[in-house]
Amino acid sequence: MHYRALLSVIILVAPLAVSAVGTLGFCLGNMNPDGSCKTTADFAADFTAIKANTDAKVVRTYSASDQDGHPCNTPSQILPAAKAAGMQVLLGIWPDGGGYTKEKAAIDAANPASFGDSFYGITVGSEGIYRGTYTVEDLIGWIQDVRKSYPNAQIGTADTWNGWANGSMDSIITSDINLVLANGFPYWQYQAISNATESYFDAMAQALGRVQEVSKGLNKLHFINGETGWPGTGGTAAGAAIAGDDNMKTYWQSAMCGLLDWGVDIFWFEAFDEPNKPDSTGDNGQVSSEQHWGAFSSGRIAKFDLHC
Ligand SMILES: *[C@@H]1O[C@H](CO)[C@@H](O)[C@H](O)[C@H]1NC(C)=O
Ligand SMILES: *[C@@H]1O[C@H](CO)[C@@H](O)[C@H](O)[C@H]1NC(C)=O
Protein backbone atom coordinates (compact mmCIF):
# COMPACT_ATOMS: atom_id res chain seq x y z
CA MET A 1 0.00 0.00 0.00
CA HIS A 2 2.82 2.35 0.86
CA TYR A 3 4.50 1.57 -2.40
CA ARG A 4 1.37 2.22 -4.40
CA ALA A 5 1.13 5.65 -2.84
CA LEU A 6 4.79 6.26 -3.59
CA LEU A 7 4.36 5.18 -7.19
CA SER A 8 1.49 7.58 -7.80
CA VAL A 9 3.59 10.40 -6.43
CA ILE A 10 6.48 9.46 -8.68
CA ILE A 11 4.18 9.87 -11.64
CA LEU A 12 2.70 13.12 -10.38
CA VAL A 13 5.81 14.77 -9.07
CA ALA A 14 8.43 13.61 -11.55
CA PRO A 15 7.57 16.15 -14.27
CA LEU A 16 8.02 18.98 -11.75
CA ALA A 17 11.50 17.76 -10.94
CA VAL A 18 12.66 18.34 -14.48
CA SER A 19 11.68 21.97 -14.58
CA ALA A 20 11.90 23.08 -10.97
CA VAL A 21 13.67 22.12 -7.81
CA GLY A 22 11.82 22.74 -4.57
CA THR A 23 12.52 25.77 -2.42
CA LEU A 24 14.43 25.44 0.82
CA GLY A 25 13.20 27.38 3.85
CA PHE A 26 14.01 27.34 7.55
CA CYS A 27 11.90 27.17 10.68
CA LEU A 28 12.96 30.03 12.88
CA GLY A 29 12.50 30.51 16.62
CA ASN A 30 11.74 33.97 17.93
CA MET A 31 13.80 33.78 21.13
CA ASN A 32 17.48 34.48 21.69
CA PRO A 33 19.53 31.89 23.63
CA ASP A 34 19.24 34.10 26.74
CA GLY A 35 15.43 33.88 26.61
CA SER A 36 14.82 37.41 25.32
CA CYS A 37 12.64 38.08 22.28
CA LYS A 38 14.46 38.49 18.98
CA THR A 39 14.46 42.06 17.70
CA THR A 40 14.86 43.31 14.13
CA ALA A 41 18.65 43.34 14.64
CA ASP A 42 18.64 39.71 15.83
CA PHE A 43 16.58 38.62 12.84
CA ALA A 44 18.92 40.61 10.56
CA ALA A 45 21.85 38.59 11.96
CA ASP A 46 19.85 35.36 11.38
CA PHE A 47 19.24 36.33 7.75
CA THR A 48 22.90 37.25 7.22
CA ALA A 49 23.96 33.76 8.36
CA ILE A 50 21.26 32.00 6.32
CA LYS A 51 22.08 33.96 3.15
CA ALA A 52 25.83 33.44 3.50
CA ASN A 53 25.58 29.67 3.97
CA THR A 54 22.45 28.37 2.22
CA ASP A 55 20.18 28.79 -0.79
CA ALA A 56 17.14 29.51 1.39
CA LYS A 57 14.98 32.53 0.64
CA VAL A 58 12.17 31.98 3.13
CA VAL A 59 11.65 31.32 6.83
CA ARG A 60 8.61 30.44 8.89
CA THR A 61 7.77 31.56 12.41
CA TYR A 62 5.40 29.95 14.93
CA SER A 63 3.95 32.59 17.19
CA ALA A 64 3.23 36.26 16.69
CA SER A 65 2.59 37.89 20.05
CA ASP A 66 3.85 35.85 22.95
CA GLN A 67 6.48 33.31 23.68
CA ASP A 68 6.43 32.01 27.25
CA GLY A 69 4.77 35.21 28.42
CA HIS A 70 7.10 37.62 26.58
CA PRO A 71 5.41 40.13 24.26
CA CYS A 72 7.69 39.41 21.30
CA ASN A 73 5.60 41.04 18.54
CA THR A 74 7.51 38.90 16.08
CA PRO A 75 5.84 40.06 12.84
CA SER A 76 6.69 43.72 13.51
CA GLN A 77 10.29 42.76 14.33
CA ILE A 78 11.00 40.26 11.57
CA LEU A 79 9.35 41.82 8.50
CA PRO A 80 11.63 44.89 8.29
CA ALA A 81 14.69 42.61 8.62
CA ALA A 82 13.34 40.29 5.93
CA LYS A 83 12.66 43.15 3.56
CA ALA A 84 16.17 44.56 4.04
CA ALA A 85 17.68 41.11 3.43
CA GLY A 86 15.47 40.21 0.46
CA MET A 87 14.01 37.25 2.36
CA GLN A 88 10.42 36.08 2.75
CA VAL A 89 8.51 35.21 5.93
CA LEU A 90 5.63 32.81 6.44
CA LEU A 91 4.12 34.25 9.62
CA GLY A 92 2.76 31.81 12.19
CA ILE A 93 -0.26 32.22 14.45
CA TRP A 94 -0.14 30.05 17.60
CA PRO A 95 -3.82 29.77 18.54
CA ASP A 96 -3.51 27.18 21.32
CA GLY A 97 -4.86 28.04 24.76
CA GLY A 98 -7.16 30.84 23.62
CA GLY A 99 -4.33 32.77 21.97
CA TYR A 100 -5.87 33.34 18.56
CA THR A 101 -7.16 36.91 18.97
CA LYS A 102 -3.92 38.25 20.42
CA GLU A 103 -1.84 36.44 17.83
CA LYS A 104 -3.92 37.74 14.93
CA ALA A 105 -3.69 41.29 16.33
CA ALA A 106 0.11 41.05 16.43
CA ILE A 107 0.11 40.17 12.73
CA ASP A 108 -2.29 43.00 11.88
CA ALA A 109 -0.13 45.47 13.83
CA ALA A 110 2.82 44.71 11.54
CA ASN A 111 0.79 45.60 8.43
CA PRO A 112 2.31 42.68 6.51
CA ALA A 113 0.77 43.68 3.18
CA SER A 114 3.04 46.74 3.15
CA PHE A 115 6.11 44.48 2.94
CA GLY A 116 5.41 43.25 -0.58
CA ASP A 117 7.05 39.93 -1.48
CA SER A 118 8.71 39.65 1.91
CA PHE A 119 5.28 38.69 3.27
CA TYR A 120 4.99 35.09 2.06
CA GLY A 121 1.77 34.23 3.89
CA ILE A 122 0.22 33.13 7.18
CA THR A 123 -0.08 29.75 8.87
CA VAL A 124 -2.74 29.26 11.51
CA GLY A 125 -1.63 26.65 14.01
CA SER A 126 1.12 24.07 14.09
CA GLU A 127 0.37 20.42 14.96
CA GLY A 128 -2.58 21.37 17.18
CA ILE A 129 -4.77 18.64 15.70
CA TYR A 130 -2.02 16.13 16.46
CA ARG A 131 -1.64 17.47 20.01
CA GLY A 132 -5.39 17.77 20.50
CA THR A 133 -5.15 21.42 21.56
CA TYR A 134 -7.83 22.59 19.10
CA THR A 135 -10.36 21.02 16.74
CA VAL A 136 -10.70 21.04 12.97
CA GLU A 137 -13.80 23.26 13.47
CA ASP A 138 -11.77 25.77 15.52
CA LEU A 139 -9.16 25.82 12.80
CA ILE A 140 -11.64 26.40 9.99
CA GLY A 141 -13.14 29.34 11.90
CA TRP A 142 -9.74 30.94 12.41
CA ILE A 143 -8.78 30.38 8.77
CA GLN A 144 -12.00 32.10 7.67
CA ASP A 145 -11.24 35.01 9.99
CA VAL A 146 -7.68 35.43 8.64
CA ARG A 147 -9.02 35.16 5.10
CA LYS A 148 -11.42 38.07 5.76
CA SER A 149 -8.48 40.34 6.68
CA TYR A 150 -6.11 39.01 3.99
CA PRO A 151 -8.28 38.01 1.02
CA ASN A 152 -5.36 37.57 -1.39
CA ALA A 153 -2.75 36.11 0.96
CA GLN A 154 -1.35 32.60 0.98
CA ILE A 155 -2.98 31.04 4.06
CA GLY A 156 -2.51 27.57 5.44
CA THR A 157 -1.88 25.37 8.44
CA ALA A 158 0.74 22.87 9.55
CA ASP A 159 0.19 19.44 11.03
CA THR A 160 1.79 16.02 11.06
CA TRP A 161 1.94 14.10 7.78
CA ASN A 162 -0.22 11.29 9.13
CA GLY A 163 -2.98 13.71 10.11
CA TRP A 164 -3.11 14.93 6.48
CA ALA A 165 -2.86 11.35 5.17
CA ASN A 166 -5.42 9.63 7.40
CA GLY A 167 -8.47 11.74 6.61
CA SER A 168 -8.72 13.71 9.85
CA MET A 169 -7.72 16.93 8.01
CA ASP A 170 -9.98 16.46 4.97
CA SER A 171 -12.28 19.37 5.83
CA ILE A 172 -9.22 21.61 6.16
CA ILE A 173 -8.10 20.56 2.70
CA THR A 174 -11.45 21.70 1.30
CA SER A 175 -11.54 24.91 3.39
CA ASP A 176 -10.30 28.29 2.17
CA ILE A 177 -6.57 27.54 2.34
CA ASN A 178 -3.78 27.74 -0.21
CA LEU A 179 -0.95 26.12 1.75
CA VAL A 180 -0.72 22.62 3.19
CA LEU A 181 2.26 22.15 5.51
CA ALA A 182 2.81 18.48 6.28
CA ASN A 183 5.48 17.82 8.91
CA GLY A 184 7.49 14.61 8.77
CA PHE A 185 10.28 13.32 11.02
CA PRO A 186 11.66 9.80 10.58
CA TYR A 187 13.43 10.56 13.87
CA TRP A 188 10.08 10.71 15.68
CA GLN A 189 9.12 7.47 13.90
CA TYR A 190 12.18 5.97 15.61
CA GLN A 191 13.82 5.10 12.28
CA ALA A 192 17.51 4.34 11.90
CA ILE A 193 19.33 6.87 9.72
CA SER A 194 19.76 4.08 7.13
CA ASN A 195 15.96 3.94 6.62
CA ALA A 196 15.25 7.63 7.20
CA THR A 197 15.09 8.72 3.56
CA GLU A 198 12.75 5.90 2.57
CA SER A 199 10.55 6.57 5.58
CA TYR A 200 10.43 10.32 4.84
CA PHE A 201 9.58 9.90 1.15
CA ASP A 202 6.88 7.38 2.04
CA ALA A 203 5.35 9.76 4.60
CA MET A 204 5.36 12.73 2.24
CA ALA A 205 3.93 10.62 -0.58
CA GLN A 206 1.03 9.49 1.60
CA ALA A 207 0.23 13.05 2.71
CA LEU A 208 0.55 14.52 -0.79
CA GLY A 209 -1.53 11.70 -2.28
CA ARG A 210 -4.40 12.38 0.11
CA VAL A 211 -4.25 16.15 -0.45
CA GLN A 212 -4.34 15.68 -4.23
CA GLU A 213 -7.22 13.22 -3.96
CA VAL A 214 -9.38 15.34 -1.65
CA SER A 215 -8.62 18.66 -3.38
CA LYS A 216 -9.30 16.97 -6.73
CA GLY A 217 -6.20 18.30 -8.40
CA LEU A 218 -2.45 17.97 -8.51
CA ASN A 219 -1.71 21.63 -7.86
CA LYS A 220 -4.92 23.03 -6.34
CA LEU A 221 -3.06 23.51 -3.07
CA HIS A 222 0.58 24.33 -2.52
CA PHE A 223 1.93 21.26 -0.71
CA ILE A 224 4.95 21.97 1.48
CA ASN A 225 6.92 19.81 3.88
CA GLY A 226 6.38 22.16 6.84
CA GLU A 227 9.07 20.65 9.05
CA THR A 228 11.70 18.00 8.78
CA GLY A 229 15.09 17.60 10.40
CA TRP A 230 17.35 15.45 12.53
CA PRO A 231 18.89 16.28 15.92
CA GLY A 232 22.61 17.02 15.96
CA THR A 233 25.33 16.30 18.46
CA GLY A 234 24.07 16.70 22.02
CA GLY A 235 20.57 15.52 21.08
CA THR A 236 18.77 12.44 22.36
CA ALA A 237 18.43 9.02 20.71
CA ALA A 238 14.85 7.92 19.93
CA GLY A 239 14.70 4.17 19.41
CA ALA A 240 16.92 3.40 16.43
CA ALA A 241 17.22 7.12 15.58
CA ILE A 242 20.59 8.34 16.81
CA ALA A 243 21.33 12.05 17.19
CA GLY A 244 24.55 13.55 15.89
CA ASP A 245 25.86 16.10 13.43
CA ASP A 246 27.04 13.31 11.08
CA ASN A 247 23.55 11.82 10.93
CA MET A 248 22.02 15.27 10.53
CA LYS A 249 24.32 15.86 7.56
CA THR A 250 23.44 12.47 6.05
CA TYR A 251 19.74 13.21 6.49
CA TRP A 252 20.10 16.69 5.00
CA GLN A 253 21.96 15.44 1.92
CA SER A 254 20.00 12.29 1.25
CA ALA A 255 16.43 12.95 2.46
CA MET A 256 16.04 16.72 2.36
CA CYS A 257 18.07 17.47 -0.77
CA GLY A 258 16.45 14.39 -2.34
CA LEU A 259 12.91 15.66 -1.81
CA LEU A 260 13.85 19.17 -2.99
CA ASP A 261 15.02 17.51 -6.22
CA TRP A 262 11.53 16.08 -6.59
CA GLY A 263 10.14 19.59 -6.64
CA VAL A 264 8.70 19.74 -3.10
CA ASP A 265 9.23 22.91 -1.02
CA ILE A 266 10.63 22.22 2.44
CA PHE A 267 11.12 24.03 5.73
CA TRP A 268 14.06 22.55 7.64
CA PHE A 269 13.52 22.34 11.39
CA GLU A 270 15.32 24.36 12.35
CA ALA A 271 17.74 27.14 11.48
CA PHE A 272 19.54 27.67 14.80
CA ASP A 273 20.04 25.60 17.95
CA GLU A 274 17.82 26.79 20.78
CA PRO A 275 19.61 26.06 24.05
CA ASN A 276 16.68 27.56 25.99
CA LYS A 277 14.06 25.24 24.47
CA PRO A 278 12.20 22.77 26.72
CA ASP A 279 12.35 19.02 25.99
CA SER A 280 9.57 17.34 24.04
CA THR A 281 7.91 13.98 24.45
CA GLY A 282 7.40 11.45 21.66
CA ASP A 283 4.43 9.12 21.06
CA ASN A 284 6.18 6.43 23.13
CA GLY A 285 6.44 8.79 26.10
CA GLN A 286 10.18 9.19 25.75
CA VAL A 287 11.52 12.66 26.52
CA SER A 288 13.92 14.15 23.95
CA SER A 289 16.03 17.28 23.85
CA GLU A 290 14.82 19.90 21.35
CA GLN A 291 17.95 22.01 21.77
CA HIS A 292 20.26 20.67 19.06
CA TRP A 293 18.14 20.60 15.89
CA GLY A 294 19.73 23.65 14.27
CA ALA A 295 21.55 23.49 10.95
CA PHE A 296 23.53 26.24 12.65
CA SER A 297 24.75 26.48 16.25
CA SER A 298 23.04 29.07 18.42
CA GLY A 299 26.08 31.26 17.62
CA ARG A 300 25.01 31.05 13.93
CA ILE A 301 27.90 28.83 12.73
CA ALA A 302 26.86 26.32 10.03
CA LYS A 303 27.35 22.72 11.24
CA PHE A 304 28.28 21.47 7.74
CA ASP A 305 28.03 22.56 4.10
CA LEU A 306 24.39 23.63 3.85
CA HIS A 307 24.07 23.46 0.07
CA CYS A 308 22.52 20.55 -1.79
C1 LIG B 1 -4.85 10.58 12.27
O1 LIG B 1 -3.59 11.13 12.64
C2 LIG B 1 -3.67 12.03 13.71
C3 LIG B 1 -2.31 12.67 13.87
O2 LIG B 1 -1.33 11.73 14.20
C4 LIG B 1 -4.12 11.29 14.97
O3 LIG B 1 -4.18 12.17 16.05
C5 LIG B 1 -5.48 10.69 14.69
O4 LIG B 1 -5.88 9.91 15.80
C6 LIG B 1 -5.47 9.84 13.44
N1 LIG B 1 -6.85 9.50 13.10
C7 LIG B 1 -7.20 8.33 12.64
C8 LIG B 1 -8.64 8.19 12.26
O5 LIG B 1 -6.42 7.40 12.52
C1 LIG C 1 11.60 1.67 6.52
O1 LIG C 1 10.67 2.62 6.07
C2 LIG C 1 9.57 2.05 5.39
C3 LIG C 1 8.73 3.20 4.85
O2 LIG C 1 8.20 3.99 5.89
C4 LIG C 1 8.79 1.15 6.35
O3 LIG C 1 7.69 0.58 5.68
C5 LIG C 1 9.71 0.08 6.91
O4 LIG C 1 9.02 -0.66 7.89
C6 LIG C 1 10.94 0.72 7.52
N1 LIG C 1 11.89 -0.30 7.91
C7 LIG C 1 12.20 -0.51 9.18
C8 LIG C 1 13.27 -1.54 9.43
O5 LIG C 1 11.68 0.09 10.13
Side-chain angles (χ1 to χ4, degrees):
M1 187 180 94
H2 292 187
Y3 289 96
R4 217 173 70 203
L6 188 58
L7 189 64
S8 68
V9 164
I10 289 168
I11 293 163
L12 303 180
V13 176
L16 283 178
V18 180
S19 56
V21 169
T23 301
L24 169 66
F26 280 100
C27 302
L28 195 58
N30 61 355
M31 306 288 277
N32 290 307
D34 68 1
S36 61
C37 295
K38 284 186 184 172
T39 62
T40 300
D42 297 317
F43 286 119
D46 287 353
F47 289 138
T48 298
I50 289 171
K51 284 175 66 179
N53 292 284
T54 80
D55 300 318
K57 295 270 185 292
V58 53
V59 298
R60 62 175 289 228
T61 59
Y62 290 88
S63 67
S65 58
D66 255 22
Q67 183 79 16
D68 303 331
H70 297 256
C72 285
N73 295 320
T74 297
S76 298
Q77 296 296 328
I78 195 172
L79 282 168
K83 186 159 190 193
M87 297 283 295
Q88 295 186 295
V89 188
L90 180 53
L91 294 169
I93 286 179
W94 190 266
D96 305 49
Y100 172 76
T101 305
K102 205 160 60 155
E103 290 276 302
K104 164 77 164 32
I107 289 193
D108 295 343
N111 191 11
S114 68
F115 289 89
D117 282 352
S118 289
F119 171 45
Y120 183 103
I122 296 173
T123 56
V124 187
S126 175
E127 299 191 351
I129 302 298
Y130 166 72
R131 280 193 308 276
T133 47
Y134 47 75
T135 65
V136 164
E137 291 70 31
D138 291 334
L139 196 47
I140 289 173
W142 295 324
I143 288 165
Q144 285 168 348
D145 190 61
V146 174
R147 175 62 71 200
K148 247 187 271 161
S149 304
Y150 302 96
N152 303 314
Q154 296 294 304
I155 296 170
T157 186
D159 222 290
T160 59
W161 71 268
N162 46 323
W164 292 107
N166 76 11
S168 61
M169 305 284 288
D170 282 1
S171 55
I172 302 292
I173 296 171
T174 54
S175 75
D176 196 5
I177 57 167
N178 317 93
L179 308 174
V180 166
L181 281 82
N183 299 350
F185 290 94
Y187 171 86
W188 287 116
Q189 294 173 257
Y190 312 115
Q191 295 293 307
I193 190 68
S194 56
N195 199 47
T197 299
E198 180 181 342
S199 170
Y200 174 58
F201 270 64
D202 179 53
M204 288 301 116
Q206 289 188 49
L208 174 58
R210 181 79 183 194
V211 170
Q212 290 176 329
E213 190 185 321
V214 173
S215 66
K216 299 192 169 58
L218 305 188
N219 289 311
K220 284 258 169 65
L221 296 176
H222 182 173
F223 180 89
I224 301 172
N225 172 212
E227 290 182 8
T228 198
W230 195 276
T233 301
T236 315
I242 309 298
D245 290 354
D246 284 356
N247 282 348
M248 186 197 281
K249 180 180 175 186
T250 299
Y251 186 75
W252 172 286
Q253 291 176 341
S254 161
M256 207 249 347
C257 292
L259 198 69
L260 281 178
D261 274 346
W262 286 73
V264 178
D265 293 348
I266 298 171
F267 285 94
W268 178 263
F269 180 89
E270 58 182 334
F272 304 100
D273 281 350
E274 295 192 80
N276 55 321
K277 208 168 179 196
D279 292 342
S280 48
T281 306
D283 290 339
N284 68 356
Q286 186 188 322
V287 173
S288 285
S289 166
E290 282 253 283
Q291 302 174 356
H292 303 280
W293 288 72
F296 297 80
S297 68
S298 58
R300 303 189 180 93
I301 307 296
K303 292 182 181 176
F304 49 89
D305 179 359
L306 298 175
H307 297 94
C308 282

PDB file of all heavy atoms in Angstrom, residues 10-24:
ATOM      1  N   ILE A  10       5.407   9.420  -7.688  1.00  0.00           N
ATOM      2  CA  ILE A  10       6.485   9.464  -8.679  1.00  0.00           C
ATOM      3  C   ILE A  10       5.926   9.979  -9.997  1.00  0.00           C
ATOM      4  O   ILE A  10       6.472  10.867 -10.619  1.00  0.00           O
ATOM      5  CB  ILE A  10       7.124   8.065  -8.857  1.00  0.00           C
ATOM      6  CG1 ILE A  10       7.940   7.720  -7.614  1.00  0.00           C
ATOM      7  CG2 ILE A  10       8.005   8.031 -10.099  1.00  0.00           C
ATOM      8  CD1 ILE A  10       8.381   6.287  -7.533  1.00  0.00           C
ATOM      9  N   ILE A  11       4.773   9.458 -10.368  1.00  0.00           N
ATOM     10  CA  ILE A  11       4.181   9.874 -11.636  1.00  0.00           C
ATOM     11  C   ILE A  11       3.770  11.350 -11.586  1.00  0.00           C
ATOM     12  O   ILE A  11       4.014  12.098 -12.514  1.00  0.00           O
ATOM     13  CB  ILE A  11       2.954   8.992 -11.965  1.00  0.00           C
ATOM     14  CG1 ILE A  11       3.439   7.557 -12.246  1.00  0.00           C
ATOM     15  CG2 ILE A  11       2.186   9.525 -13.160  1.00  0.00           C
ATOM     16  CD1 ILE A  11       2.350   6.526 -12.181  1.00  0.00           C
ATOM     17  N   LEU A  12       3.199  11.751 -10.463  1.00  0.00           N
ATOM     18  CA  LEU A  12       2.695  13.122 -10.375  1.00  0.00           C
ATOM     19  C   LEU A  12       3.814  14.127 -10.221  1.00  0.00           C
ATOM     20  O   LEU A  12       3.769  15.213 -10.768  1.00  0.00           O
ATOM     21  CB  LEU A  12       1.745  13.252  -9.180  1.00  0.00           C
ATOM     22  CG  LEU A  12       0.551  12.299  -9.191  1.00  0.00           C
ATOM     23  CD1 LEU A  12      -0.314  12.526  -7.977  1.00  0.00           C
ATOM     24  CD2 LEU A  12      -0.257  12.458 -10.460  1.00  0.00           C
ATOM     25  N   VAL A  13       4.816  13.774  -9.440  1.00  0.00           N
ATOM     26  CA  VAL A  13       5.812  14.769  -9.074  1.00  0.00           C
ATOM     27  C   VAL A  13       6.992  14.798 -10.041  1.00  0.00           C
ATOM     28  O   VAL A  13       7.618  15.817 -10.213  1.00  0.00           O
ATOM     29  CB  VAL A  13       6.302  14.528  -7.616  1.00  0.00           C
ATOM     30  CG1 VAL A  13       7.403  15.492  -7.243  1.00  0.00           C
ATOM     31  CG2 VAL A  13       5.128  14.670  -6.661  1.00  0.00           C
ATOM     32  N   ALA A  14       7.242  13.679 -10.700  1.00  0.00           N
ATOM     33  CA  ALA A  14       8.426  13.610 -11.552  1.00  0.00           C
ATOM     34  C   ALA A  14       8.517  14.730 -12.596  1.00  0.00           C
ATOM     35  O   ALA A  14       9.581  15.322 -12.739  1.00  0.00           O
ATOM     36  CB  ALA A  14       8.510  12.251 -12.223  1.00  0.00           C
ATOM     37  N   PRO A  15       7.431  15.093 -13.276  1.00  0.00           N
ATOM     38  CA  PRO A  15       7.575  16.151 -14.274  1.00  0.00           C
ATOM     39  C   PRO A  15       8.023  17.483 -13.673  1.00  0.00           C
ATOM     40  O   PRO A  15       8.763  18.229 -14.281  1.00  0.00           O
ATOM     41  CB  PRO A  15       6.157  16.288 -14.865  1.00  0.00           C
ATOM     42  CG  PRO A  15       5.500  14.986 -14.567  1.00  0.00           C
ATOM     43  CD  PRO A  15       6.084  14.533 -13.276  1.00  0.00           C
ATOM     44  N   LEU A  16       7.583  17.752 -12.425  1.00  0.00           N
ATOM     45  CA  LEU A  16       8.016  18.976 -11.754  1.00  0.00           C
ATOM     46  C   LEU A  16       9.525  19.004 -11.592  1.00  0.00           C
ATOM     47  O   LEU A  16      10.155  20.036 -11.736  1.00  0.00           O
ATOM     48  CB  LEU A  16       7.399  19.046 -10.348  1.00  0.00           C
ATOM     49  CG  LEU A  16       5.935  19.443 -10.217  1.00  0.00           C
ATOM     50  CD1 LEU A  16       5.543  19.399  -8.754  1.00  0.00           C
ATOM     51  CD2 LEU A  16       5.741  20.843 -10.770  1.00  0.00           C
ATOM     52  N   ALA A  17      10.082  17.820 -11.266  1.00  0.00           N
ATOM     53  CA  ALA A  17      11.502  17.763 -10.937  1.00  0.00           C
ATOM     54  C   ALA A  17      12.364  18.199 -12.115  1.00  0.00           C
ATOM     55  O   ALA A  17      13.453  18.732 -11.929  1.00  0.00           O
ATOM     56  CB  ALA A  17      11.870  16.358 -10.490  1.00  0.00           C
ATOM     57  N   VAL A  18      11.876  17.982 -13.308  1.00  0.00           N
ATOM     58  CA  VAL A  18      12.662  18.335 -14.483  1.00  0.00           C
ATOM     59  C   VAL A  18      12.780  19.849 -14.607  1.00  0.00           C
ATOM     60  O   VAL A  18      13.839  20.378 -14.898  1.00  0.00           O
ATOM     61  CB  VAL A  18      12.003  17.751 -15.757  1.00  0.00           C
ATOM     62  CG1 VAL A  18      12.802  18.118 -16.995  1.00  0.00           C
ATOM     63  CG2 VAL A  18      11.872  16.240 -15.626  1.00  0.00           C
ATOM     64  N   SER A  19      11.676  20.534 -14.329  1.00  0.00           N
ATOM     65  CA  SER A  19      11.677  21.966 -14.579  1.00  0.00           C
ATOM     66  C   SER A  19      12.007  22.788 -13.339  1.00  0.00           C
ATOM     67  O   SER A  19      12.501  23.886 -13.449  1.00  0.00           O
ATOM     68  CB  SER A  19      10.305  22.394 -15.111  1.00  0.00           C
ATOM     69  OG  SER A  19       9.306  21.999 -14.207  1.00  0.00           O
ATOM     70  N   ALA A  20      11.730  22.250 -12.159  1.00  0.00           N
ATOM     71  CA  ALA A  20      11.897  23.081 -10.973  1.00  0.00           C
ATOM     72  C   ALA A  20      12.303  22.234  -9.784  1.00  0.00           C
ATOM     73  O   ALA A  20      11.736  21.181  -9.524  1.00  0.00           O
ATOM     74  CB  ALA A  20      10.589  23.805 -10.659  1.00  0.00           C
ATOM     75  N   VAL A  21      13.284  22.727  -9.069  1.00  0.00           N
ATOM     76  CA  VAL A  21      13.674  22.116  -7.815  1.00  0.00           C
ATOM     77  C   VAL A  21      12.895  22.832  -6.724  1.00  0.00           C
ATOM     78  O   VAL A  21      12.567  24.007  -6.860  1.00  0.00           O
ATOM     79  CB  VAL A  21      15.202  22.256  -7.640  1.00  0.00           C
ATOM     80  CG1 VAL A  21      15.646  21.887  -6.246  1.00  0.00           C
ATOM     81  CG2 VAL A  21      15.922  21.412  -8.682  1.00  0.00           C
ATOM     82  N   GLY A  22      12.558  22.117  -5.660  1.00  0.00           N
ATOM     83  CA  GLY A  22      11.818  22.741  -4.567  1.00  0.00           C
ATOM     84  C   GLY A  22      12.625  23.842  -3.895  1.00  0.00           C
ATOM     85  O   GLY A  22      13.835  23.951  -4.063  1.00  0.00           O
ATOM     86  N   THR A  23      11.911  24.635  -3.127  1.00  0.00           N
ATOM     87  CA  THR A  23      12.521  25.774  -2.424  1.00  0.00           C
ATOM     88  C   THR A  23      12.825  25.389  -0.982  1.00  0.00           C
ATOM     89  O   THR A  23      11.961  24.862  -0.286  1.00  0.00           O
ATOM     90  CB  THR A  23      11.523  26.957  -2.432  1.00  0.00           C
ATOM     91  OG1 THR A  23      11.228  27.285  -3.783  1.00  0.00           O
ATOM     92  CG2 THR A  23      12.107  28.153  -1.740  1.00  0.00           C
ATOM     93  N   LEU A  24      14.036  25.691  -0.570  1.00  0.00           N
ATOM     94  CA  LEU A  24      14.426  25.444   0.821  1.00  0.00           C
ATOM     95  C   LEU A  24      14.055  26.638   1.692  1.00  0.00           C
ATOM     96  O   LEU A  24      14.321  27.787   1.328  1.00  0.00           O
ATOM     97  CB  LEU A  24      15.940  25.201   0.902  1.00  0.00           C
ATOM     98  CG  LEU A  24      16.541  25.186   2.309  1.00  0.00           C
ATOM     99  CD1 LEU A  24      16.017  24.000   3.123  1.00  0.00           C
ATOM    100  CD2 LEU A  24      18.066  25.145   2.240  1.00  0.00           C
TER     101      LEU A  24
END
